[in-house]
Amino acid sequence: MLDLRRLEILARFAARGTITATAADLGYSPSAVSQQLATLEREAGIALIERTARRASLTDAGRELAGHAARILDAVESAESRMRARAGTVGGRVAVSCIPALAPALAPRLAELQRVHPELTVVAHETGSANAAAAVLDRRYDLAVIDDWSAHPPADGTGLAVHRLRREDIVLAVPAGHPLAGHPGPATAARLRQIVADRTWLCAPVGQLSRAAGDRHLASVDATPSRRWEFEGLHVLAALVAADAGVAFLPAGMAEEQPGVTGLRTAPRMRRTLLALTRSTTRDDPAVAVCLRAARQALGDGR
Amino acid sequence: MLDLRRLEILARFAARGTITATAADLGYSPSAVSQQLATLEREAGIALIERTARRASLTDAGRELAGHAARILDAVESAESRMRARAGTVGGRVAVSCIPALAPALAPRLAELQRVHPELTVVAHETGSANAAAAVLDRRYDLAVIDDWSAHPPADGTGLAVHRLRREDIVLAVPAGHPLAGHPGPATAARLRQIVADRTWLCAPVGQLSRAAGDRHLASVDATPSRRWEFEGLHVLAALVAADAGVAFLPAGMAEEQPGVTGLRTAPRMRRTLLALTRSTTRDDPAVAVCLRAARQALGDGR
DNA sequence: ATCGAGCATCAGATCTCCTTATCCAGTCCA
DNA sequence: TGGACTGGATAAGGAGATCTGATGCTCGAT
C-alpha cells in the first residue's frame, strides 16, 4: 500500500519543483526526500521522476499521482479535523499568513491565543495577498488574511473557504494643507483628473493588488498621473502623504489615523475587502476556528 | 498525520467487530492490532474504541473515522490502480471468489494466468453469491464470480463494478425415463403443478439464491411441491435427477451435460445471470483485468 | 577552469512496529 | 462454584524502516 508520508512528499515536490526545497518545506534533509521518493517509485512500480544530474522533474505518471495524493491528503486532513472537532481540543500547529499592513493589529490577538490555549502553536508570517490562496491550498498556511481590492471578492471555491472580515472604503488621501482638504466633498472624476496633474501620485509597486485597483479606478475616470512614485506598504504611503510628498488612495481607516492627512470619499465608490482564507478541509478544526475568530475580532467589522 | 495502515486496521475492525478477527484478516497478531488502534486513538486525540474486558466496540467517533478511512483507502487503491495501469504490469495479489458450481471451469484459466504472469499471485476461494458484494467492497476479494437468479441483475453501484458474463436459461430437469422427457415441450404451469405433485422436488437449502428464485417461480404458477429434498450444490441436484430421485430446476447447460437428464424449457421463462463483481477502484488495475478476462473466457458467452 | 547548486548513495544511529509471552476479565459449562 | 475458554492489554525484544551527515557526481554559471 502506498505510504501517506511519501505521498505528501510527492505532492510537495510537485508544488515546489526541487528536492531541496521540498525537504526544507517539510523539515527533512534532501537525502531523506530523495530516498523516500525513490521508495515511492518502487512501490508505484513506475517512474515518477525524471532525473538529470542537476534537476529532478515529474513524469506524467508522477504528475498524475501527485494529483491523487493531493486529494487523498485532503481527505485525511478532513478526517483529522473532524476528529479534532469531536474532541473539542484546540491544539497543534496553525500557520497564519497576514498582509503586512494588518499584522500589527492581528499579532496581539494571536499572541493572546497562545496564552489561552497552551497546546496551540501559532506560526505567523507576513505575505502579500497575491499568492496567498495558492499557499493555503498548498498547506504552507492554514489561515491567510488578505485584502481584495476588486468589486466582487471571491467566494468559496475549490477547496478554499473564504471568510469576509470587513469592507473598507478607499479614500483619496491628501495633505491636510491641500485646498481640497477644506472642501471635503467626494473626489469626483474632475477633481481626480486635476489632482493627478498637479501632484505626485503615490502608489504601491506594480504587482500589488492595490496598485492594480488604483490604476483601474484612475483609468475609469480618465485621469493620468503626471508623476508617479512607487513605495511598498500602505503605511509608508500614508506617511508620505502626511509629509506633503503627494497624494494616494488609502483605506479610510488608515487615512483617518494618520495625522496631517485628510481623506476624500471617492466617486464612484472604491472599496477593499479584508478576507480570511482557510482550506475547506480544516473547516471543522477548532484550532483553525479560534485563529479565525481572533482575526475577526482584530480586523472584522463585528458581523 | 494519521497513518494509512492504522486507518486500514480501523476500517477492517469496523467491518469485523473484534480485534482478533481483524488481526486474522490482515495477517497480524491481535497484539499488533491492539497496539496500532491504541496509537491511532492517541493520534486522533479522541477515544475511538469502547473497551470492556471481553469486547471492543467502536465509539461514535470511531465509526465516523472508519467511514473516512474507507473513503481514503478507496482513493489510495484507485491511485495505485492507475499507476499499475500506466506501468502496464500484471502483478501483485488478486483474491478471487467463485461460486462452487463454476469453480471447476474457472480454476484452470486462473492457473494458466499464473504461468503467463509470473509476478501475479491469485488466491481463489469458493463462496456463495449472497455476501459476495459486501466481501468485495470489504476488500476480502478483488473479484467475485456469482450467479444472480433475479430477472434484473444489479448494475454498477456504490463502489461496485458489475460485469455480466453470461445469461443461462433455467430448465426443469427430469429423468430421461420420465414421460415428459419424450414430449420436449415447455414446462408450462399445468405441467409443473402436476409434476410437483407426483415427484420429489429437489432444491437447494433455504438461503441460496437459486432456492428463492425456484420457490418464486413455483408460487407464480401455483405449484406446491408435495415432497421436498434439499441438497447443497447444483451438480448434486443434477446427479440426483439422473438417479431418478426427483426433479429440479437447473441451468440448461448443466442439465445437458448430465447423462440421464432431460431439460424442459420453463414457461414463463426463467433465467440466471453469471456476474463478476469488482471494486470500481480497481477498474484500472491490469491484474484484476486479466483475471476478469479469464473469467469471461471460462464462463462468458463470448460477448 | 572553478565554484556552487542540486541530487544520489552510503553508513550508522534511531525509531517504529511486529511477535511472543504473560496477564487480566468476563463467559460458558460441568 | 470452579476451571476452561475467549478476547483483549501490556511488556520485552528483535527485525526492519527511516533519518542524518558525509561524500561524490553532474551540469551550468562566473
Side-chain angles (χ1 to χ4, degrees):
Chain A
M1 170 145 46
L2 296 175
D3 184 87
L4 214 50
R5 282 172 49 256
R6 289 193 257 273
L7 288 179
E8 184 187 23
I9 291 174
L10 180 69
R12 189 57 61 112
F13 176 80
R16 298 303 305 271
T18 77
I19 289 182
T20 306
T22 306
D25 269 21
L26 297 174
Y28 294 141
S29 65
S31 164
V33 171
S34 176
Q35 290 176 58
Q36 290 303 312
L37 287 177
T39 304
L40 183 60
E41 285 191 282
R42 207 171 342 102
E43 287 176 347
I46 187 170
L48 303 172
I49 291 180
E50 217 118 46
R51 297 142 196 284
T52 68
R54 257 183 71 75
R55 200 82 206 156
S57 61
L58 287 175
T59 62
D60 282 351
R63 240 182 309 281
E64 180 184 341
L65 187 55
H68 292 300
R71 278 189 292 283
I72 291 166
L73 292 168
D74 275 353
V76 171
E77 183 173 65
S78 198
E80 285 177 318
S81 294
R82 294 283 311 136
M83 289 304 110
R84 274 201 277 271
R86 273 183 182 274
T89 54
V90 174
R93 186 177 167 285
V94 178
V96 178
S97 161
C98 184
I99 53 175
L102 301 180
L106 177 59
R109 293 281 187 171
L110 293 179
E112 192 185 339
L113 283 185
Q114 307 223 13
R115 200 176 47 73
V116 181
H117 304 289
E119 297 297 300
L120 181 70
T121 308
V122 173
V123 180
H125 286 117
E126 299 184 6
T127 356
S129 303
N131 301 317
V136 169
L137 284 174
D138 240 33
R139 292 172 219 276
R140 290 203 296 278
Y141 297 114
D142 302 303
L143 171 68
V145 174
I146 63 170
D147 56 357
D148 182 283
W149 293 67
S150 67
H152 299 288
D156 289 12
T158 27
L160 209 62
V162 179
H163 314 267
R164 206 177 83 186
L165 300 178
R166 182 165 32 135
R167 287 204 146 162
E168 285 186 307
D169 282 323
I170 305 300
V171 298
L172 175 68
V174 299
H178 190 274
L180 281 180
H183 305 72
T188 56
R191 282 179 158 182
L192 267 174
R193 274 195 296 271
Q194 193 206 324
I195 208 165
V196 300
D198 288 353
R199 315 291 303 241
T200 299
W201 183 253
L202 302 168
C203 58
V206 174
Q208 306 274 44
L209 298 179
S210 64
R211 167 64 178 271
D215 285 0
R216 265 199 309 278
H217 190 86
L218 290 180
S220 77
V221 300
D222 216 13
T224 312
S226 56
R227 193 156 72 120
R228 265 187 201 279
W229 277 12
E230 298 182 356
F231 284 89
E232 180 119 31
L234 296 177
H235 282 116
V236 175
L237 293 181
L240 287 169
V241 172
D244 202 13
V247 299
F249 284 142
L250 287 179
M254 211 173 278
E256 267 171 39
E257 281 170 12
Q258 180 74 41
V261 168
T262 303
L264 304 178
R265 234 172 346 107
T266 47
R269 193 181 190 184
M270 199 177 161
R271 297 200 291 189
R272 75 164 176 175
T273 311
L274 302 187
L275 301 173
L277 306 178
T278 60
R279 279 187 298 290
S280 32
T281 48
T282 58
R283 197 188 291 272
D284 296 324
D285 189 328
V288 173
V290 298
C291 291
L292 179 58
R293 199 169 327 128
R296 274 197 196 288
Q297 288 169 357
L299 307 172
D301 54 9
R303 277 180 312 139
Chain B
M1 171 147 44
L2 296 175
D3 184 86
L4 214 49
R5 287 179 37 260
R6 289 193 257 273
L7 288 178
E8 185 187 22
I9 291 175
L10 180 69
R12 190 57 61 113
F13 176 80
R16 298 303 306 273
T18 77
I19 288 183
T20 307
T22 306
D25 268 21
L26 297 174
Y28 294 143
S29 65
S31 164
V33 171
S34 176
Q35 290 177 58
Q36 290 304 311
L37 286 178
T39 304
L40 183 60
E41 286 191 282
R42 209 172 340 104
E43 287 176 347
I46 187 170
L48 304 172
I49 291 179
E50 215 118 47
R51 297 142 196 283
T52 67
R54 252 184 76 71
R55 201 82 207 156
S57 61
L58 288 174
T59 62
D60 282 351
R63 240 183 308 281
E64 181 185 341
L65 187 56
H68 292 300
R71 279 190 293 282
I72 292 166
L73 291 167
D74 276 353
V76 171
E77 183 172 64
S78 199
E80 284 177 318
S81 294
R82 293 284 310 135
M83 289 303 110
R84 275 201 276 271
R86 274 184 181 273
T89 55
V90 175
R93 186 176 166 286
V94 178
V96 179
S97 159
C98 184
I99 53 176
L102 300 180
L106 178 58
R109 293 280 188 171
L110 292 180
E112 194 186 338
L113 283 186
Q114 308 224 14
R115 200 177 46 72
V116 181
H117 303 289
E119 296 298 300
L120 182 69
T121 308
V122 173
V123 181
H125 287 117
E126 299 185 6
T127 355
S129 303
N131 301 317
V136 169
L137 284 175
D138 240 34
R139 293 172 217 278
R140 289 204 295 279
Y141 298 114
D142 301 303
L143 172 67
V145 174
I146 64 170
D147 56 356
D148 181 284
W149 293 67
S150 68
H152 298 289
D156 289 12
T158 27
L160 209 61
V162 178
H163 315 268
R164 205 175 85 187
L165 300 178
R166 184 165 31 135
R167 286 205 146 162
E168 286 188 307
D169 281 324
I170 304 302
V171 297
L172 176 67
V174 301
H178 189 276
L180 281 180
H183 304 74
T188 56
R191 283 178 156 183
L192 266 175
R193 274 195 296 272
Q194 194 206 325
I195 208 165
V196 301
D198 288 354
R199 315 292 302 244
T200 299
W201 184 253
L202 302 169
C203 58
V206 174
Q208 305 275 44
L209 298 180
S210 65
R211 166 65 177 270
D215 285 0
R216 264 199 311 277
H217 191 87
L218 290 181
S220 76
V221 299
D222 217 12
T224 312
S226 57
R227 196 155 73 117
R228 266 188 200 280
W229 277 11
E230 298 183 356
F231 284 87
E232 181 118 32
L234 296 176
H235 282 118
V236 176
L237 294 180
L240 288 169
V241 172
D244 203 12
V247 298
F249 283 141
L250 288 178
M254 208 173 280
E256 267 171 38
E257 283 171 12
Q258 180 75 42
V261 168
T262 302
L264 304 178
R265 224 163 6 97
T266 47
R269 193 179 190 186
M270 200 178 161
R271 298 200 290 187
R272 75 164 177 175
T273 310
L274 303 188
L275 301 174
L277 306 179
T278 59
R279 278 186 299 290
S280 32
T281 48
T282 59
R283 197 190 290 273
D284 296 325
D285 189 330
V288 173
V290 299
C291 291
L292 179 59
R293 199 168 328 127
R296 275 196 195 287
Q297 288 169 359
L299 307 172
D301 54 9
R303 279 178 312 140

